[in-house]
Structure formats: structure tokens, C-alpha cells
Amino acid sequence: MKAIVHEGKKGLDGVTFTHMSEVEPRPGEVKVRLKAAGLNHRDLLVPNRRNDGDPPVILGSDGAGVIEVVGEGVTGIQVGDEVMINPGLGWKKNSDAPPEGFEILGFPSHGTFAESVVVPAESVVKKPGHYSWEEAAVLPLSALTAYRALFTRAKVKMGDTVLIPGIGSGVATYLLQFAKAAGAYVIVTSRSEMKLEAARRLGADRVIHTNREWDQELKGEMIDIVIESVGAATFNRSLNVLRPGGTMVTFGASAGDVVHLNIREFFYGQYNLLGSTMGSHEEFEDMVDFVQRHNMKPVLDRVFPLSSALEAFHYMNRAEQFGKIALDING
Amino acid sequence: MKAIVHEGKKGLDGVTFTHMSEVEPRPGEVKVRLKAAGLNHRDLLVPNRRNDGDPPVILGSDGAGVIEVVGEGVTGIQVGDEVMINPGLGWKKNSDAPPEGFEILGFPSHGTFAESVVVPAESVVKKPGHYSWEEAAVLPLSALTAYRALFTRAKVKMGDTVLIPGIGSGVATYLLQFAKAAGAYVIVTSRSEMKLEAARRLGADRVIHTNREWDQELKGEMIDIVIESVGAATFNRSLNVLRPGGTMVTFGASAGDVVHLNIREFFYGQYNLLGSTMGSHEEFEDMVDFVQRHNMKPVLDRVFPLSSALEAFHYMNRAEQFGKIALDING
């Protein structure tokens, strides 16, 4: 089958469009004939985490398609079912951290940038009927991450003021949609006027261009929650605008890992800094229920054919998108 | 009246044993004839925060004594009542951060290192009957800080493993006592064998000398909660031993304010970092109730006469004590 594989050389130079053997499901697994896949920042990170000469791995965490083979002992799933895949493997019940052995589909196990994928039966859920294949494919990883960050961790509630620095990434657009649906007042920042305009159309109450001194401008707002996924570039400014006793959830560091934290200011502010990544399968199901109840659709920025995945990677790397990027497996 | 005053010169050089006028209570206030006062790190910080030539201020946040004058409109308090003072002014109800205007007795308002002090009537509570004056005087600030950090913020529960880096300070000894009373397994560290021995006698389940690689030694423990008051010197080691999903409360930074935080490690660990200082009057009352229910007494390290307060300051600054340091007002 056709697949996007990382092999041979560390980094994006090792990513190729090639052929891999199909795999059949073992007991408890299912095989999904994929229709579409979704890109995540993780797909850029994995090739850099691997070494020259590592065995080939099919990249990709997000995908949607049709059940083709059902492994022994699997109940409740039938050939022909239209499904999305929860890429979090081994985290079933809600808990404050994933259990030992938790991993994400698309390394070390083969991922979704291919014509088919084999996953544990409990990792698939029914595709929302009114979603296109591309929409279903781009939901799982980032919407789950946004859901846990905003609801489980930050415990957002009606009337809260929520700041999302760096609107544009898939997960940031889900955060904006979810926070609005929860009844929050939502402020977003970006260095792009186009993204700010798009965020406003998506429901943002206040948009701020980062060429302004946004932390100074926001000093008057009582910001209850910051969902911070940019990293070092914005971390301290974000903390700086939080109201005393407020909560900052961090789940990303695309712009730098290490920050200087002034702990005296931190404890005088009675702040809460909460780390988050992904979520449990229970949270995944709650999220899918939430988006359907609120009649919400993913913001789809662009669809590339599978053969152009590398082009899609570079496009994502330039951070020009607003929303999610999908791959059409048969495109 | 005799008092320990900061004036004239920034820093400890401006601290003198001198005379100040007595003050009479306004409506809603009471005047306490002090028997004993308690030292806190704050008493070392205040003289450094003030500038040359600032007007004199009586230092001291903690104290206990006898009600001498009751201001107009005050009910439920009578002349002759034996009381302790909650030094947190203007934070009545539980909340995630103190309200605007919150301050701590002993700057900017005159404090407890004097023969008398005038405070709002709602700031005094009955002295536990079986406490000496010194014991009552050293309870309020640090026991309230420990109580909020451990119960309100970290939400310690039976069976949790709690790490207290740097045992010895007053607040650390309260933390140890409170965590044991809550049914936790408590680990403490110190660079002093004598303090570790004292901690063991006070109930610590495991004691670790910091001349060893304590973060490596503790890698096997599932540490649910770290109460971190040392600051930069231990901050990252403390975070390093926390179990995934664990909670670190920070309320002190005696060994440095600024730390390097790796946010990627932080969010992969699903950690909670919670800032805390002091507590509300509701928490104060809960704390006093808690220590009485558990028949708990403060660990009193040494008592100095008021006239030797400066000597007590230097003693505290050397961090040689195990527990609290008191001043005998009439000593």
C-alpha cells in the first residue's frame, strides 16, 4: 500500500512517499481502510526524534475510514462501519496522567498516513454522520488535547475569560470553538491580521495583534484562564496577564521549551500552572459527544493528496494555516 | 512602649529596639497587650523592601496576648480575653486569591514586636488553652501558610506521599505535622543531620541528607505532592521526583526567585504547579480547629527577649533553627 514513511535519515529528509506491506489485525484489533488522515505537529517532531538507520515507520496519528477486517474477539464493530481513530493508545479511563505504556499512534506503531492501519478495537469510534472524511480525520488528536486542557484541566465555566495566545493551529481553533460553546469570553492573539479576522468570524470576542504590547493591553482584563501552547516566546507574557488565582494550562512548546519562571511572583499571584497532553478514551468520547451536541465542525484549512504529504509538512511548519490540514488518502 | 522598629536605613541595619507611642483602637478594632511574638522570614524581608528615610514601622506579624481595650461596635470580644492574632488583614472568606487591599500585619501597619498592638477585631481568635504564650504567638502565619498549601491547594489525602524539601523552618515543621496528621507518608530533606533526626522524632517516615543525590534516590517513590518553599536551589529536583500527574505547591523562595522550567517535560508529566501564600480567615479558623483536634503543638526552637530581637533575626537568617522562634515581650 502507499504510505508516508520515515526511514534512513533523521529529520524531514528521511520522509518519503513509498510502499509498505498491509498488516492484518490480531485478536482485539481492527483494520481500517483509510479515507483521510490529519496532520499534527507531532508528525514534524517524530522524524527529528528518530535516528539515522532506524527501521521505517508509517507516520500519522489522525485518521478516519471504513472497518475492513475485524480481529478475533472484537464485539460491537462490524465490517463497513465508518470510524475515526483515537490515536491515544492505552489510556482508557480518566486519570491525572496516562498509565505506564501509553503511546500515540504513528510511532513507535505504524500510523495513519497510508491506505490502511491496524489499531486496537477500542481505539475506533463512529464517525459523526455529517462530517466529511477529512473533517473526521482531523478531529481526534487536537480536539482531544483541547478538550482535556480546557475542561478537565482548566475547568472552564460559563462567564470565564479565556486567553488563547497564537490562534491558528488546529488545537487553538478547537480551543476557541470549545471555549465559546462553554460560554466563555474568548481573547486570541496572532501576528497575522488574516488569522485574527478568521478567529473573529469563528467567534472570538477580542482579537489582539502581537505587534502590539498585548500583555500591557490586557492588564485591565480579568483573565481567568490562559491556554498556552506557544511556549517560551509567550509563556511569561501569558502568566503576566492572568488574574490572581488564575489558571494557565500548558500543552505545547512549538516556540521553545525552557522558560525563566519567577517563583516569587508566581506564588504571590496564587497561580495554577497545569501541564496537559492528549487525554483518556473517556475524555475522547466526551469530546465527540460535545462537538455533536454543539453541532460543531472542525476548521479545515487545506487538503493535500497523500502523495504531497511532504509539501503539507512544510506548509504546517511555516504555521500559515488557520485550522487543520488533512491528507486525502486516495487523492 | 518598647518596640522593635525599622527606620532610617534600608536593611537590618535600620532595625532598632526603641520606644513608640501606644495607639488606641478605632471603632471595630481591639488593642492587645502582647505577651509573646513570633518570628517569620517576612520580618527579614520587610527591612530590605523599605528605603532609607521611610517612616518608622514596628515589625512583626505574629503575636499573642490579652485584650486590653475593645473599640466601639465590637461584639463577642471582652477585655481580658486571651487571644492570638491572624496577621492576614482583609481576607475573610475562602477564595482562590486574596482580595484587593489584602496586607499582612507588620508593614505597612505596625506589627507585634511591641508591648501592644491594635488590630481589626475580626483578626483575633481565642488562644488554645493548653498553649503557652510563646506557642500561641508562633502559630498564626506559618501554620496558616502550611495549612492552605497542604489542604486547600495540594488537597492532601490519606495515603499520599508528601515530600518536604528543607525541613527546619517553622512552616516546614507545621507541614510535617499536618501531613502526618492527615495520614500521609512524609519524606523530608535537609543538609543537617540534627534536623533530620528532629524530623524523625516529629514523625517523618523517611529522611534524606541533601549531600546525597536525593532526587536520584527518590526516583523509585511515587511522590504525589511536593511542598516546595526553598526556591531555585531545589525547585527542579523537586519537580523531577514528582510522579506523573503529581502536584507541587510553591510558597517560598528563600534560596532564589528565578528558575529555569522545561515546559515540555512539565506538560508531558501532566504536573500541577500551584502558588500559595498565607490564607483566608476561614482557613485560619479551620487550621486552629485542626491543630486542637489533633492535639498538636508548635515546635518551639528558641525564645529570645524582645530586646534581643536583632540577635533572633540573625539566628533565623543562619537557618539553624528547627521550628519556630519566639520573642518574650516582657523578657
Side-chain angles (χ1 to χ4, degrees):
Chain A
M1 62 176 177
K2 290 178 278 183
I4 299 295
V5 166
H6 181 256
E7 63 181 326
K9 199 159 165 43
K10 189 184 169 112
L12 285 189
D13 290 348
V15 177
T16 53
F17 178 52
T18 181
H19 279 82
M20 292 284 281
S21 323
E22 300 249 349
V23 178
E24 296 310 311
R26 293 168 298 183
E29 295 181 333
V30 294
K31 180 172 180 175
V32 181
R33 179 64 42 190
L34 290 158
K35 298 284 192 179
L39 257 67
N40 292 287
H41 260 278
R42 186 172 191 276
D43 305 314
L44 293 175
L45 297 177
V46 165
N48 283 309
R49 274 193 219 144
R50 291 176 24 105
N51 294 313
D52 291 358
D54 278 356
V57 66
I58 301 172
L59 298 173
S61 302
D62 274 342
V66 179
I67 298 288
E68 186 174 84
V69 187
V70 174
E72 217 176 285
V74 173
T75 56
I77 301 174
Q78 278 157 30
V79 171
D81 282 355
E82 302 193 339
V83 298
M84 309 185 289
I85 299 165
N86 172 5
L89 306 177
W91 187 0
K92 289 183 193 177
K93 297 282 174 192
N94 288 340
S95 59
D96 55 16
E100 195 83 27
F102 168 74
E103 59 175 69
I104 299 174
L105 189 66
F107 179 68
S109 55
H110 287 306
T112 57
F113 295 171
E115 292 180 81
S116 73
V117 67
V118 169
V119 293
E122 64 263 24
S123 300
V124 299
V125 303
K126 273 205 178 357
K127 171 176 102 62
H130 59 301
Y131 276 26
S132 70
W133 286 113
E134 286 77 13
E135 286 166 345
V138 300
L139 187 73
L141 194 150
S142 7
L144 173 59
T145 302
Y147 190 86
R148 178 173 171 84
L150 194 63
F151 293 101
T152 310
R153 301 295 271 142
K155 295 187 171 60
V156 68
K157 57 185 196 309
M158 176 92 58
D160 279 348
T161 294
V162 176
L163 172 67
I164 306 167
I167 196 71
S169 73
V171 65
T173 51
Y174 288 123
L175 283 166
L176 168 52
Q177 290 174 295
F178 293 179
K180 282 308 298 175
Y185 176 87
V186 183
I187 306 170
V188 305
T189 74
S190 175
R191 55 188 168 188
S192 152
E193 285 293 354
M194 273 177 55
K195 290 185 187 180
L196 291 176
E197 184 47 40
R200 208 185 265 289
R201 281 197 305 270
L202 199 58
D205 297 289
R206 187 170 172 192
V207 305
I208 299 195
H209 199 291
T210 50
N211 64 6
R212 302 210 298 274
E213 294 293 324
W214 58 271
D215 50 340
Q216 291 308 310
E217 283 192 36
L218 288 176
K219 273 294 190 189
E221 298 269 9
M222 284 293 276
I223 295 179
D224 302 289
I225 295 170
V226 181
I227 309 284
E228 168 59 61
S229 65
V230 179
T234 54
F235 189 90
N236 274 302
R237 285 182 175 218
S238 294
L239 205 52
N240 201 26
V241 298
L242 205 54
R243 71 157 172 83
T247 294
M248 181 152 114
V249 178
T250 173
F251 66 82
S254 50
D257 283 8
V258 176
V259 296
H260 294 252
L261 176 70
N262 185 310
I263 47 183
R264 189 173 297 280
E265 287 170 11
F266 187 86
F267 64 71
Y268 280 139
Q270 305 258 357
Y271 295 131
N272 308 292
L273 177 65
L274 311 180
S276 194
T277 38
M278 295 284 292
S280 68
H281 196 72
E282 281 187 351
E283 287 166 314
F284 186 78
E285 288 177 332
D286 289 347
M287 177 275 289
V288 174
D289 179 60
F290 182 85
V291 297
Q292 295 192 92
R293 252 188 304 123
H294 289 90
N295 213 14
M296 205 179 279
K297 279 198 164 193
V299 177
L300 199 55
D301 177 86
R302 244 179 103 172
V303 182
F304 290 80
L306 179 65
S307 56
S308 303
L310 202 58
E311 192 187 328
F313 278 33
H314 288 296
Y315 178 66
M316 180 168 61
N317 207 16
R318 290 195 301 274
E320 285 169 5
Q321 83 278 16
F322 186 85
K324 294 294 298 182
I325 302 164
L327 299 176
D328 176 357
I329 300 297
N330 304 305
Chain B
M1 62 175 175
K2 291 178 278 185
I4 299 295
V5 166
H6 181 255
E7 63 181 328
K9 198 157 166 46
K10 188 184 169 110
L12 285 189
D13 290 350
V15 177
T16 51
F17 179 53
T18 181
H19 278 83
M20 292 283 282
S21 323
E22 299 248 351
V23 178
E24 296 311 311
R26 293 167 300 181
E29 294 180 334
V30 293
K31 179 172 180 175
V32 181
R33 178 64 43 191
L34 289 158
K35 298 285 190 177
L39 257 67
N40 292 287
H41 260 278
R42 185 171 191 277
D43 304 315
L44 294 174
L45 297 176
V46 165
N48 282 309
R49 275 194 218 143
R50 290 174 27 103
N51 294 312
D52 292 358
D54 278 357
V57 66
I58 300 173
L59 297 173
S61 301
D62 274 342
V66 180
I67 298 288
E68 186 174 85
V69 187
V70 173
E72 217 175 285
V74 173
T75 56
I77 300 174
Q78 276 156 29
V79 172
D81 283 356
E82 302 192 338
V83 298
M84 310 183 288
I85 299 165
N86 172 6
L89 305 177
W91 188 0
K92 289 183 192 176
K93 297 283 174 191
N94 288 340
S95 58
D96 56 16
E100 195 83 29
F102 169 73
E103 59 175 69
I104 299 174
L105 189 66
F107 179 69
S109 56
H110 287 306
T112 56
F113 296 170
E115 292 180 82
S116 73
V117 66
V118 169
V119 294
E122 64 264 25
S123 300
V124 300
V125 303
K126 273 205 176 0
K127 171 175 102 61
H130 59 301
Y131 275 26
S132 70
W133 285 114
E134 285 77 13
E135 286 166 344
V138 299
L139 188 73
L141 194 149
S142 5
L144 173 59
T145 302
Y147 190 86
R148 178 172 171 84
L150 194 63
F151 293 100
T152 309
R153 300 295 270 142
K155 296 187 171 59
V156 70
K157 57 185 195 311
M158 176 93 55
D160 279 347
T161 294
V162 176
L163 172 67
I164 306 166
I167 196 73
S169 72
V171 66
T173 52
Y174 288 122
L175 283 166
L176 168 52
Q177 290 174 296
F178 292 179
K180 283 307 298 175
Y185 175 86
V186 182
I187 305 170
V188 304
T189 75
S190 175
R191 55 188 168 190
S192 152
E193 285 293 355
M194 273 176 56
K195 289 185 187 180
L196 291 177
E197 184 47 41
R200 209 185 263 290
R201 282 196 304 270
L202 198 59
D205 296 289
R206 188 170 172 192
V207 305
I208 299 195
H209 199 290
T210 50
N211 64 7
R212 301 211 300 274
E213 294 293 324
W214 59 272
D215 50 341
Q216 292 307 312
E217 284 191 37
L218 287 177
K219 271 296 189 185
E221 299 269 9
M222 284 294 275
I223 295 179
D224 302 290
I225 295 169
V226 181
I227 309 285
E228 167 59 61
S229 66
V230 178
T234 55
F235 189 89
N236 273 302
R237 285 183 175 218
S238 294
L239 205 53
N240 201 26
V241 298
L242 205 54
R243 72 157 172 83
T247 295
M248 182 152 113
V249 178
T250 173
F251 65 82
S254 49
D257 282 8
V258 177
V259 296
H260 294 253
L261 176 70
N262 185 310
I263 47 183
R264 191 173 296 278
E265 288 170 11
F266 188 86
F267 64 72
Y268 279 140
Q270 304 259 359
Y271 296 130
N272 308 292
L273 177 65
L274 312 179
S276 194
T277 37
M278 294 284 291
S280 68
H281 196 72
E282 281 187 350
E283 288 167 314
F284 187 77
E285 288 176 331
D286 289 347
M287 177 276 290
V288 174
D289 179 59
F290 182 86
V291 298
Q292 295 191 91
R293 253 187 304 124
H294 288 90
N295 213 13
M296 203 179 281
K297 280 197 164 192
V299 177
L300 200 54
D301 176 87
R302 245 179 102 171
V303 181
F304 290 81
L306 180 65
S307 56
S308 304
L310 203 57
E311 191 186 330
F313 278 33
H314 288 296
Y315 177 67
M316 179 167 61
N317 208 15
R318 290 194 302 273
E320 284 168 5
Q321 82 278 16
F322 185 86
K324 295 294 298 183
I325 303 163
L327 299 176
D328 176 357
I329 301 297
N330 304 306

